[in-house]
Amino acid sequence: MRMVIGLPKEIKNHENRVGLTPANVLMLTQAGHSVRVQSSAGEGSGFSDEEYVASGATIVADGASAWDAQMVVKVKEPQPSEYGYFKEGMLLYTYLHLAAEPALTKALMEKGVSAVAYETVQLSDRSLPLLAPMSEVAGRRAVNVASTFLEKHHGGKGILLSGVPGTARAHVVIVGAGVAGLSAARMAYGLGARVTILDVNLTRLRYIDDTYHDIQTLYSNEYNLAEVVKSADVLISTILIPGTKAPKIVKEYMVASMSKGSIVIDVAIDQGGSVESIDRITSHDNPVYEKHGVLHYSVANMPGATPRTSTFALTNATSAYLLALANHGVLACKENPALLLGLNTHKGKLTYKAVADALGMTYTEISSLF
């Protein structure tokens, strides 16, 4: 089949990533598909319109023209101003995080969009191949953010992560030893901070202990977490459950016990967040606010600050599934168990159970719709 694929420019605050690189466009056009790229869609990631044209794309003037396609490829969830572009039978391939987006969920269902969410594509070993690259970026960026906002002129306590000889290192506490957590731990460890990481997966903790002898590992329970948070200069929470809202693992009283000028970073805020004291999503324009004397960072598109790295990392992972969807449409999901788990809405139904449970909506088993 020949698919018309649209690439709109991202319109979320400071979102400079793009869903397709010129290399992806070349792959699609060589397979016989047609790609419409909104003018300047790739500019934030360093890709010119001319590069897309050279790869076989057609440049269109506005978002409406890019959305006028059989399949639309994005990075972030559609914004309310884009809901009007939805149409029956459209295939949407992007991050969605629907458990935190009831209005978007309803709009996708009402218009009959087949929406494949990057974050719920899942392999048989339970890994999330399309979420992993952005988790790697977000975990590393969390430590860079912490280093910046610990500086006094940013409202922090005025300490250096690594310290210097004769002074104490900053204590970085990381909740969750998954992809984002381990990425944060590696970054903080490499910068010379004192690092503690908590998880309930003892196999994962053994791996970290064997690999990074100076990183303290702790079994994650409320008692251990409350105790270690008291001495944290930086608290990074990375807890995420595929498809559903993140549980509030870090309680407000724990954050209140931290010393003034410390910082809390919630990497999973786009999935509802796992820190109880975080009550809002922030943006790259105004990324932190103070509560209990502690800085809170809750930007929902952390990787958007490093768009070129993030775009390459993301599209490296998404391209194989992209080609399957372009070649076979939504039926590609039926043939691929991992991709089938990515299908969140189809034919007006909500087809991912964790999202349905989180939103209190009706779940429909996807096999009944093919």
Side-chain angles (χ1 to χ4, degrees):
M1 64 180 291
R2 182 177 182 273
M3 183 79 79
V4 178
I5 300 162
L7 178 67
K9 184 179 175 68
E10 299 292 328
I11 61 173
K12 190 164 185 163
N13 179 277
H14 282 285
E15 183 51 74
N16 288 298
R17 289 174 290 179
V18 64
L20 299 174
T21 67
N24 300 140
V25 170
L26 181 62
M27 174 188 73
L28 291 168
T29 56
Q30 286 181 335
H33 304 295
S34 173
V35 183
R36 298 172 181 170
V37 176
Q38 184 179 350
S39 182
S40 77
E43 194 173 78
S45 292
F47 304 120
S48 67
D49 288 353
E50 290 74 19
E51 288 177 276
Y52 284 110
V53 170
S55 294
T58 299
I59 301 299
V60 295
D62 51 31
S65 300
W67 276 93
D68 186 19
Q70 296 165 283
M71 177 179 176
V72 172
V73 183
K74 292 182 82 281
V75 176
K76 291 302 290 180
E77 73 281 355
Q79 301 302 292
S81 63
E82 296 175 305
Y83 296 177
Y85 299 135
F86 297 167
K87 59 186 179 183
E88 187 173 356
M90 172 184 283
L91 184 56
L92 177 64
Y93 186 45
T94 188
Y95 285 118
L96 288 171
H97 300 289
L98 293 182
E101 296 283 350
L104 172 58
T105 305
K106 290 174 183 175
L108 291 168
M109 293 169 65
E110 287 171 0
K111 294 295 182 69
V113 176
S114 297
V116 178
Y118 294 157
E119 73 275 6
T120 64
V121 173
Q122 189 169 20
L123 299 176
S124 58
D125 64 1
R126 299 181 62 81
S127 63
L128 304 168
L130 308 190
L131 186 63
M134 294 303 92
S135 296
E136 290 168 338
V137 173
R140 286 162 167 79
R141 278 218 65 243
V143 177
N144 287 339
V145 165
S147 179
T148 296
F149 283 98
L150 281 176
E151 294 173 356
K152 193 67 176 178
H153 63 283
H154 286 300
K157 57 173 55 177
I159 62 174
L160 188 64
L161 280 180
S162 63
V164 295
T167 71
R169 298 177 291 166
H171 185 197
V172 178
V173 173
I174 300 164
V175 186
V179 175
L182 183 55
S183 294
R186 290 178 60 192
M187 192 76 165
Y189 173 81
L191 290 174
R194 179 164 71 97
V195 181
T196 301
I197 190 166
L198 300 94
D199 203 288
V200 295
N201 186 331
L202 291 174
T203 300
R204 190 71 165 172
L205 294 182
R206 289 189 183 101
Y207 165 77
I208 294 170
D209 188 70
D210 288 342
T211 307
Y212 305 97
H213 303 299
D214 291 335
I215 293 180
Q216 173 70 55
T217 59
L218 279 178
Y219 186 80
S220 185
N221 56 41
E222 185 167 343
Y223 181 88
N224 284 346
L225 185 55
E227 287 298 303
V228 75
V229 164
K230 293 175 184 177
S231 64
D233 301 301
V234 178
L235 175 61
I236 300 172
S237 185
T238 67
I239 299 299
L240 179 139
I241 299 175
T244 192
K245 288 185 178 180
K248 300 297 183 184
I249 297 294
V250 180
K251 306 300 183 185
E252 186 147 0
Y253 78 85
M254 299 177 187
V255 175
S257 74
M258 297 172 71
S259 58
K260 183 179 180 181
S262 301
I263 182 167
V264 176
I265 300 169
D266 196 335
V267 173
I269 189 62
D270 53 1
Q271 200 75 6
S274 56
V275 179
E276 194 174 56
S277 59
I278 289 182
D279 56 13
R280 72 200 78 164
I281 292 175
T282 61
S283 69
H284 292 295
D285 280 337
N286 190 20
V288 299
Y289 64 93
E290 186 179 316
K291 192 175 184 181
H292 303 301
V294 176
L295 296 178
H296 289 61
Y297 179 99
S298 52
V299 175
N301 59 330
M302 289 181 69
T306 52
R308 190 165 176 87
T309 295
S310 297
T311 291
F312 278 122
L314 176 61
T315 57
N316 286 346
T318 59
S319 60
Y321 298 104
L322 165 69
L323 187 59
L325 289 167
N327 286 342
H328 305 290
V330 73
L331 289 177
C333 299
K334 186 179 180 181
E335 302 302 320
N336 187 316
L339 198 54
L340 187 64
L341 287 170
L343 192 58
N344 281 207
T345 66
H346 182 54
K347 293 185 177 178
K349 306 295 184 181
L350 185 53
T351 55
Y352 196 85
K353 191 174 188 306
V355 172
D357 291 346
L359 297 179
M361 297 173 69
T362 301
Y363 163 70
T364 300
E365 170 61 46
I366 185 61
S367 62
S368 68
L369 300 177
F370 281 113

